[in-house]
Amino acid sequence: MRVFLTLVFMTALSARIHLADSKVLRITTIKDEPYTMSKGSQFEGYCIDLISELSKKLGFHYEIHLVKDNRYGAMDSSGKWNGMIGEIIKGDADLAVAPLTVTAVRERFVDMTTPFIQTGLSFIMHKSADSEDSSFSLLSPFSMEMWVGVLIAFLLTGLCVFLVGRISPTEWADPETDEHNFTLLHSFWYITGALTLQGAGPHPKALSGRLVSAIWWIFAVLLLACYFANFNTLLHSKSKSISITSFEDLANQDVINYGTVENGSTMLFFKNSNNPVYRRIHQHMERKKSYVASTAEGIRLAQEGNFAFIGEAVSLDLAVARYCGLTRAQEVVSMRSYSIAAPLGSPLVKNLTIAILQLSESGELTHLREKWWASSCVGFGEAQMSEALNPHNLRGLFLLLGLGLGIGLLLALLELLSRARNQAKDGKKSCCSVLTSELNRRFGSGAAEAEQESSDKNKA
């Protein structure tokens, strides 16, 4: 064991010395979030950090450039390679550091290191209603902000009915002798009955009270109509939604469309597979022409709903981390890996493999994965993923209620003012003094005593 460790140490040391003395390594890569991204005139990303860590371990210098044709590397009909693999074969680059999938064909023309990322094929789709907590499904037609708005409207209307009942002389002619029907408790009970379309007497007699009641009835009827309409829509969508957790579930349904990147390695896997489930998936994509031009387009369609995008799990995990409305299936098939490519017979491959294994054992690769795949949940957003009604959807309804309550209070004050003017003329007093006296009788200690007396009479 000690001899083996000594040999490994000497190999790494000699490689470090060899690389340090060698020329600057030309590294080709491709723009692909989060592996390589532009940051001003520089690059950043998972692969950029990986190159930096490898250069520290092996002591080499490097320069990075983007592949000219923006391709990973495939062989055409004439046997020529394009993309990053083509640059390695032609000698335009010493290394290709990118999410390059290890394939049998590529291994015949270039040398590839041990993988730095293991992945496979999976699919993402929009989160369905079944994936959310259904404990409070009765509240789901309205958003939290909407329920808060309804509660505020309820409290304000109850208070307004109470104030109109106190202010209007038609409702409460003589605070000292007449019973006050619209107490605060009865006001809330009255509008609760209207909200349930049942009604609760006694009803207002004054024009102001009837106006407030009519506005609240209109508000209640339209609010309930919106609630039950949206509730029915949610129930209908839930009955249509199906639980899809695997590729077999995906192949056995026709409610949700699905596809992958056209002419990509994922499409070739399903096309060449002998598995009957995967064959049905390929036949569906061929029949529906549900291929997409890029991964970004597939993610966008998945966000819009009713579409499942099939791709490499590591890329799909990034989409799920960025957009809260997406979820990835747990099943992963066709395991594959990403490696660094070098020319055939290159002495760099062995040393890079050892360095990658060391980074893996020390946890550095895990740290890089957590750094660049950190969840941020931005973009499509929570506001668009919810089907619940928000206050801005019924803004006109709330404005109508507020306007009605304001007019009702104003009419009640005008009724009281009219009575005060008549009393002022009869008693040859100031209108303001009579109005102040009336308000004191209705809201002051006299009103409390009158209400207590009426309560005692009821008990008797």
Side-chain angles (χ1 to χ4, degrees):
M1 183 65 179
R2 187 175 300 173
V3 175
F4 174 75
L5 292 175
T6 303
L7 289 174
V8 171
F9 175 76
M10 294 300 294
T11 302
L13 182 61
S14 62
R16 185 181 180 90
I17 295 173
H18 172 74
L19 290 171
D21 295 337
S22 64
K23 61 180 181 179
V24 176
L25 296 180
R26 297 163 300 167
I27 297 178
T28 181
T29 187
I30 188 172
K31 276 190 178 181
D32 189 357
E33 186 182 3
Y35 302 99
T36 302
M37 301 172 290
S38 295
K39 185 181 181 182
S41 59
Q42 304 295 321
F43 297 111
E44 66 174 2
Y46 179 94
C47 287
I48 305 303
D49 288 351
L50 177 62
I51 296 170
S52 176
E53 292 297 327
L54 292 175
S55 68
K56 292 176 184 177
K57 280 193 168 293
L58 299 179
F60 61 83
H61 300 285
Y62 60 91
E63 58 181 22
I64 302 175
H65 67 269
L66 295 175
V67 61
K68 297 180 179 64
D69 58 4
N70 197 35
R71 294 185 179 183
Y72 287 88
M75 185 189 298
D76 59 21
S77 57
S78 62
K80 293 183 179 180
W81 283 85
N82 56 26
M84 292 179 286
I85 300 296
E87 289 192 0
I88 293 292
I89 295 174
K90 296 172 186 175
D92 296 335
D94 300 306
L95 293 176
V97 183
L100 272 173
T101 305
V102 179
T103 63
V105 177
R106 287 174 178 170
E107 282 280 15
R108 290 173 54 194
F109 294 88
V110 295
D111 283 343
M112 306 194 79
T113 66
T114 191
F116 56 84
I117 283 183
Q118 297 281 353
T119 185
L121 298 182
S122 188
F123 61 89
I124 56 172
M125 55 192 299
H126 194 275
K127 285 182 180 177
S128 64
D130 294 340
S131 64
E132 300 171 1
D133 185 15
S134 59
S135 303
F136 301 99
S137 58
L138 287 176
L139 303 178
S140 58
F142 289 165
S143 65
M144 181 60 67
E145 294 81 5
M146 184 67 182
W147 284 116
V148 172
V150 171
L151 178 61
I152 293 174
F154 178 82
L155 295 175
L156 289 178
T157 304
L159 182 61
C160 186
V161 170
F162 168 73
L163 292 175
V164 168
R166 286 240 171 182
I167 294 173
S168 174
T170 307
E171 295 293 346
W172 200 18
D174 191 351
E176 296 176 356
T177 59
D178 294 343
E179 180 182 356
H180 181 220
N181 292 324
F182 283 95
T183 63
L184 189 61
L185 181 61
H186 178 72
S187 298
F188 284 111
W189 177 247
Y190 177 78
I191 64 173
T192 302
L195 188 61
T196 57
L197 305 181
Q198 295 299 313
H203 299 287
K205 296 177 289 185
L207 176 62
S208 56
R210 290 179 177 179
L211 176 63
V212 171
S213 300
I215 289 295
W216 175 251
W217 288 338
I218 293 173
F219 177 83
V221 169
L222 294 179
L223 185 72
L224 291 174
C226 293
Y227 174 85
F228 287 115
N230 202 34
F231 189 67
N232 180 63
T233 301
L234 291 175
L235 287 180
H236 188 62
S237 64
K238 284 184 180 181
S239 64
K240 273 191 168 184
S241 64
I242 52 179
S243 178
I244 301 176
T245 59
S246 64
F247 282 99
E248 186 172 2
D249 295 337
L250 201 63
N252 291 336
Q253 56 82 41
D254 56 1
V255 176
I256 295 177
N257 195 16
Y258 50 88
T260 186
V261 177
E262 188 173 12
N263 296 325
S265 58
T266 303
M267 188 201 79
L268 295 178
F269 164 77
F270 287 100
K271 180 179 180 180
N272 300 326
S273 176
N274 293 323
N275 187 304
V277 173
Y278 303 154
R279 294 290 296 175
R280 288 208 310 273
I281 290 177
H282 177 256
Q283 291 168 4
H284 170 91
M285 293 188 293
E286 286 287 333
R287 184 173 66 255
K288 298 284 187 178
K289 300 299 180 184
S290 54
Y291 297 114
V292 295
S294 64
T295 300
E297 182 183 350
I299 293 172
R300 179 182 59 79
L301 291 176
Q303 286 178 277
E304 293 175 357
N306 205 37
F307 185 83
F309 175 63
I310 304 172
E312 294 182 343
V314 67
S315 299
L316 302 183
D317 287 339
L318 179 66
V320 172
R322 295 292 185 270
Y323 309 106
C324 300
L326 297 176
T327 181
R328 182 177 72 81
Q330 293 300 314
E331 184 181 22
V332 178
V333 300
S334 181
M335 295 305 297
R336 54 191 62 189
S337 54
Y338 297 154
S339 296
I340 298 174
L344 282 174
S346 173
L348 300 172
V349 175
K350 181 66 175 178
N351 305 317
L352 289 171
T353 293
I354 295 174
I356 291 172
L357 290 174
Q358 290 174 343
L359 291 176
S360 176
E361 293 166 0
S362 65
E364 186 62 30
L365 292 184
T366 303
H367 169 71
L368 292 180
R369 176 71 178 267
E370 293 173 351
K371 173 184 176 181
W372 292 104
W373 272 259
S375 178
S376 59
C377 281
V378 296
F380 208 61
E382 296 141 4
Q384 293 184 9
M385 62 179 282
S386 175
E387 298 179 2
L389 288 177
N390 291 293
H392 66 82
N393 299 127
L394 300 178
R395 181 171 49 235
L397 189 59
F398 283 100
L399 290 176
L400 175 65
L401 177 64
L403 182 63
L405 296 182
I407 294 176
L409 278 174
L410 181 61
L411 284 177
L413 287 171
L414 290 176
E415 290 173 10
L416 185 62
L417 180 60
S418 176
R419 177 174 176 172
R421 288 182 64 184
N422 293 334
Q423 289 180 350
K425 287 180 181 179
D426 295 339
K428 297 181 179 180
K429 297 180 181 179
S430 170
C431 181
C432 291
S433 62
V434 174
L435 181 62
T436 304
S437 176
E438 278 290 329
L439 290 174
N440 285 333
R441 290 172 63 199
R442 295 172 183 278
F443 292 98
S445 58
E449 292 173 2
E451 197 165 323
Q452 182 64 34
E453 288 177 5
S454 65
S455 177
D456 294 339
K457 289 179 182 179
N458 290 336
K459 290 181 181 178

